[in-house]
């Protein structure tokens, strides 16, 4: 029989020991912050009908190319979810009696058959918060503030870049970019930081953007004043989309100023977020030191998704934010030394006293303590070495003498102090 070559599927990875411990700590921290901000938990299926995930109100053509598709025994067309947003929109569409505003969080696996690079995987965990039923930019401001609070607790220094899709689409309209080419142009503009002005211009030419529009876009990209809201005032006077986007932008900035987070939030007039689902404010979260180039969180407003799924003219103003748990872990690995951690309170080492040690472990666990019992008959020196490496705070060594004297000897591994406590082994 041929020996199997064991390896992970490309774009997936195992988390072992301290690595998984750190990842779970990140997850708990995010969840604690979500709950503190009044979010309710939600869980949706990984499996969905392809028709739902391929809806025109979903992720757009680019992300649909990365969708994992399959069929079940009944030959129904199914797919693995590629994000948590559309499954959330489906929940709202299926439950018309939900009280508004509805604020939820969900943490779960998603799958994308896309290119693999540092911080980008094919199986990964998303941590999402979405608010439906709030038209004001105060919802965006609260989610951005929540993100900064979460990363502050994780001791990760981040910045948030934000923009408004109405503003961006309105500017492209003002520059004469044809309607059927605007979504493509937005995807190209989103690559500005990666490929530079000339790279963007070359790709716009490839996609058939007219010469007159190219001239306006180049002037926009290179104008040193384009990061000021005042730059857009003259365009807003004659363009409704620019006017709406600018008003929303100013409203958002007033809330960010009230929250005192403007130093960590930066307006980027070229931030596009390629997904067609977005209708207003958009934002991405980056490592302040740029140790990882890709974003470690992102989101924005998508007002049309739920009403589109329900096929109604009723408005469901919705805004969300998403954190990639795996990329946050990768980011933390760049900035901190990941050490062995433990949740264990006591490590019991039997010296020929397995049954007696089992009884002690059971007693301590019944009192709410977390206990690990050495099960492999390690020699004392190796067992103590394990306790030190894993930062276990207390060790109990149980030999025949301890059983005879009905006492436990508990050693604090940090201070080295040993104390005795009575225990009835009979």
């Amino acid at each position: 029989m041929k020996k199997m070559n064991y390896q992970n599927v490309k774009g997936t990875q195992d988390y072992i020991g301290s690595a998984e411990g750190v990842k779970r700590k990140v997850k708990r921290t995010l969840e604690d912050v979500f709950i503190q901000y009044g979010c309710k938990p939600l869980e949706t299926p990984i499996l969905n009908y392809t028709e739902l995930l391929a809806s025109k109100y979903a992720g757009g053509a680019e992300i649909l190319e990365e969708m994992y598709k399959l069929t079940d025994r009944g030959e129904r067309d199914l797919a693995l979810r590629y994000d948590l947003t559309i499954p959330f929109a489906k929940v709202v569409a299926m439950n018309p009696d939900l009280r508004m505003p509805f604020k939820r969080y969900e943490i779960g696996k998603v799958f994308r058959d896309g290119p693999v690079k540092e911080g980008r995987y094919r199986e990964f965990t998303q941590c999402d918060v979405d608010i439906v039923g709030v038209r004001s930019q105060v919802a965006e401001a609260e989610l951005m503030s929540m993100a900064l609070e979460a990363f502050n607790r994780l001791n990760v220094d981040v910045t948030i870049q934000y923009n408004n899709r109405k503003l961006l689409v309105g500017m492209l309209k003002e520059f004469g970019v044809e309607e059927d080419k605007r979504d493509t142009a937005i995807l190209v503009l989103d690559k500005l930081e990666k490929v530079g002005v000339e790279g963007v211009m070359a790709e716009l030419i490839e996609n058939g953007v007219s010469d007159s529009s190219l001239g306006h876009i180049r002037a926009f990209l290179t104008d040193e004043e384009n990061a000021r809201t005042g730059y857009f005032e003259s365009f807003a006077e004659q363009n409704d989309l620019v006017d709406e986007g600018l008003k929303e932008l100013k409203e958002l900035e007033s809330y960010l100023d009230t929250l005192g987070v403007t130093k960590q939030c930066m307006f980027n007039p070229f931030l596009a977020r390629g997904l067609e689902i977005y209708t207003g404010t958009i934002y991405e979260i980056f490592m302040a030191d740029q140790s990882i180039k890709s974003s470690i969180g992102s989101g924005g407003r998508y007002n049309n998704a739920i009403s589109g799924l329900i096929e109604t003219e009723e408005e469901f103003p919705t805004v969300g934010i998403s954190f990639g748990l795996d990329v946050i872990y990768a980011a933390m690995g760049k900035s901190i030394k990941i050490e062995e951690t433990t949740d264990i309170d006591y490590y019991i080492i039997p010296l020929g006293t397995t049954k007696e040690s089992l009884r002690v472990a059971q007693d301590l666990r019944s009192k709410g303590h977390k206990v690990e019992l050495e099960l492999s008959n390690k020699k004392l020196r190796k067992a103590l070495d394990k306790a030190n490496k894993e930062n276990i705070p207390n060790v109990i060594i149980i030999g025949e003498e301890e059983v005879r004297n009905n006492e436990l000897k508990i050693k604090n591994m940090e201070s080295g102090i040993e104390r005795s406590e009575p225990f009835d082994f009979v």
Side-chain angles (χ1 to χ4, degrees):
M1 183 181 291
K2 184 179 178 181
K3 185 177 180 181
M4 183 178 289
N5 181 22
Y6 294 103
Q7 59 183 325
N8 286 343
V9 173
K10 187 176 181 182
T12 68
Q13 58 185 333
D14 300 311
Y15 292 92
I16 302 171
S18 60
E20 177 62 11
V22 171
K23 190 180 171 194
R24 291 191 180 203
K25 178 185 176 182
V26 173
K27 180 180 175 181
R28 285 195 299 268
T29 300
L30 291 174
E31 190 166 18
D32 287 345
V33 174
F34 297 163
I35 293 170
Q36 187 177 19
Y37 273 70
C39 305
K40 303 294 190 296
L42 177 71
E43 183 175 354
T44 58
I46 290 172
L47 273 176
N48 292 268
Y49 286 108
T50 304
E51 183 182 16
L52 171 69
L53 297 182
S55 160
K56 69 177 182 177
Y57 301 101
E62 185 179 39
I63 203 169
L64 295 186
E65 292 176 3
E66 300 180 355
M67 185 164 61
Y68 282 99
K69 302 173 186 176
L70 62 152
T71 55
D72 64 7
R73 293 183 182 184
E75 298 187 355
R76 286 171 284 261
D77 293 325
L78 307 177
L80 303 181
R81 65 188 181 194
Y82 50 77
D83 69 12
L84 301 176
T85 303
I86 293 303
F88 162 71
K90 176 211 67 178
V91 169
V92 178
M94 289 174 61
N95 294 274
D97 295 330
L98 284 173
R99 288 194 301 274
M100 299 294 172
F102 178 57
K103 184 189 289 188
R104 82 85 165 94
Y105 77 89
E106 181 173 10
I107 299 175
K109 292 273 191 179
V110 298
F111 305 85
R112 294 185 188 180
D113 186 13
V116 177
K117 61 180 181 179
E118 184 180 39
R120 183 166 181 171
Y121 310 102
R122 289 178 173 164
E123 177 190 67
F124 52 100
T125 302
Q126 288 289 97
C127 310
D128 282 21
V129 173
D130 290 88
I131 304 171
V132 58
V134 178
R135 289 183 174 82
S136 167
Q137 294 289 303
V138 70
E140 281 90 334
E142 179 156 273
L143 291 183
M144 291 167 71
S145 175
M146 181 192 70
L148 292 173
E149 171 64 22
F151 285 110
N152 182 56
R153 291 193 192 184
L154 292 169
N155 294 315
V156 175
D157 192 14
V158 300
T159 57
I160 300 179
Q161 295 184 17
Y162 61 90
N163 194 12
N164 191 289
R165 283 290 283 254
K166 292 176 184 175
L167 190 72
L168 192 56
V169 173
M171 292 299 289
L172 291 176
K173 179 182 178 182
E174 190 67 22
F175 297 153
V177 178
E178 294 149 341
E179 188 173 355
D180 63 345
K181 289 185 170 60
R182 286 175 201 159
D183 285 339
T184 301
I186 284 173
L187 288 172
V188 175
L189 286 175
D190 206 29
K191 301 175 184 177
L192 179 63
E193 289 191 9
K194 296 177 184 176
V195 302
V197 173
E198 297 308 321
V200 165
M201 300 308 296
E203 198 164 336
L204 289 173
I205 292 170
E206 282 180 23
N207 283 283
V209 175
S210 68
D211 289 343
S212 60
S213 296
L214 289 171
H216 290 302
I217 293 172
R218 179 184 287 277
F220 177 42
L221 296 178
T222 56
D223 195 311
E224 294 181 357
E225 298 296 310
N226 58 29
R228 292 191 314 104
T229 54
Y231 175 87
F232 301 91
E233 295 285 0
S234 60
F235 297 100
E237 292 174 3
Q238 55 200 26
N239 187 304
D240 290 342
L241 270 178
V242 175
D243 185 49
E244 286 180 38
L246 187 58
K247 286 176 179 175
E248 289 178 3
L249 188 67
K250 288 181 176 180
E251 182 189 356
L252 172 65
E253 290 181 338
S254 72
Y255 290 128
L256 296 178
D257 184 54
T258 298
L259 290 166
V261 296
T262 53
K263 289 184 178 179
Q264 292 170 276
C265 300
M266 180 181 71
F267 170 53
N268 178 352
F270 312 117
L271 181 70
R273 298 240 62 225
L275 302 184
E276 296 170 17
I277 189 174
Y278 292 112
T279 58
T281 298
I282 49 177
Y283 34 76
E284 292 196 345
I285 306 167
F286 295 93
M287 293 284 291
D289 62 7
Q290 290 290 294
S291 56
I292 286 184
K293 299 296 183 184
S294 57
S295 66
I296 59 175
S298 59
R301 182 167 286 271
Y302 55 105
N303 283 352
N304 297 333
I306 297 171
S307 56
L309 290 174
I310 301 175
E311 296 183 348
T312 177
E313 293 185 2
E314 181 184 356
E315 284 192 349
F316 288 85
T318 313
V319 62
I321 194 164
S322 179
F323 307 90
L325 189 59
D326 303 81
V327 72
I328 292 173
Y329 170 82
M332 291 180 68
K334 291 271 186 181
S335 60
I336 64 170
K337 181 181 178 182
I338 297 173
E339 298 179 346
E340 289 278 358
T341 59
T342 184
D343 290 327
I344 296 298
D345 299 316
Y346 294 95
Y347 176 43
I348 299 175
I349 305 172
L351 300 179
T353 58
T354 301
K355 290 182 179 179
E356 292 84 356
S357 296
L358 274 170
R359 196 174 300 160
V360 173
Q362 184 182 44
D363 179 74
L364 288 170
R365 287 167 182 154
S366 72
K367 295 173 180 175
H369 298 296
K370 295 181 283 292
V371 180
E372 181 180 352
L373 175 62
E374 174 53 50
L375 302 174
S376 61
N377 295 318
K378 277 188 176 70
K379 290 184 178 179
L380 180 58
R381 182 177 58 80
K382 287 190 174 181
L384 290 172
D385 187 50
K386 166 188 163 75
N388 279 319
K389 286 181 177 177
E390 296 185 13
N391 295 313
I392 296 173
N394 299 293
V395 168
I396 301 176
I397 302 169
I398 303 176
E400 293 180 2
E401 182 181 346
E402 283 75 26
V403 173
R404 219 171 20 249
N405 295 332
N406 284 320
E407 69 174 5
L408 299 178
K409 289 184 179 176
I410 305 170
K411 183 175 182 178
N412 183 290
M413 297 301 288
E414 184 176 354
S415 66
I417 296 172
E418 188 174 276
R419 72 181 192 275
S420 295
E421 288 187 7
F423 187 86
D424 187 1
F425 285 98
V426 179

